[in-house]
């Protein structure tokens, strides 16, 4: 395929670039939403991911210590 054909198909399928500015005739709520989202959601998501990582590391380290400590353990006879 030629580059012109690909560009033409993309312009039909995606009439505007995802990075294009929003049209001015949209309601104010729609134009403010991206900045509101970045101001409230992104920091919260960052903290949630940070807690996910340290909690996962803590669980992994605890599991590793238990596996090493119980490596030679025998099952208890009932």
């Amino acid at each position: 395929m030629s580059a012109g054909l690909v560009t033409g198909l993309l312009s039909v399928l995606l009439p505007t670039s995802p990075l294009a500015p929003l049209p001015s005739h949209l309601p104010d709520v729609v134009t403010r939403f991206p900045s509101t989202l970045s101001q409230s959601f992104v920091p919260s998501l960052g903290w949630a991911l940070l807690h996910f990582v340290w909690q996962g590391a803590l669980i992994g380290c605890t599991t590793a210590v238990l596996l090493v400590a119980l490596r030679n353990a025998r099952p208890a006879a009932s």
Side-chain angles (χ1 to χ4, degrees):
M1 270 193 207
S2 70
L5 180 61
V6 172
T7 306
L9 287 174
L10 286 177
S11 67
V12 170
L13 295 174
L14 302 170
T16 59
S17 167
L19 301 177
L22 294 172
S24 60
H25 67 278
L26 291 174
D28 192 35
V29 173
V30 175
T31 57
R32 281 192 325 219
F33 182 71
S35 65
T36 304
L37 180 70
S38 65
Q39 289 176 0
S40 61
F41 179 71
V42 173
S44 298
L45 180 63
W47 281 109
L49 291 174
L50 179 69
H51 289 298
F52 172 77
V53 169
W54 78 258
Q55 290 169 357
L58 181 67
I59 291 169
C61 290
T62 304
T63 303
V65 168
L66 287 174
L67 286 173
V68 168
L70 299 174
R71 180 182 299 159
N72 297 324
R74 305 249 183 238
S78 49

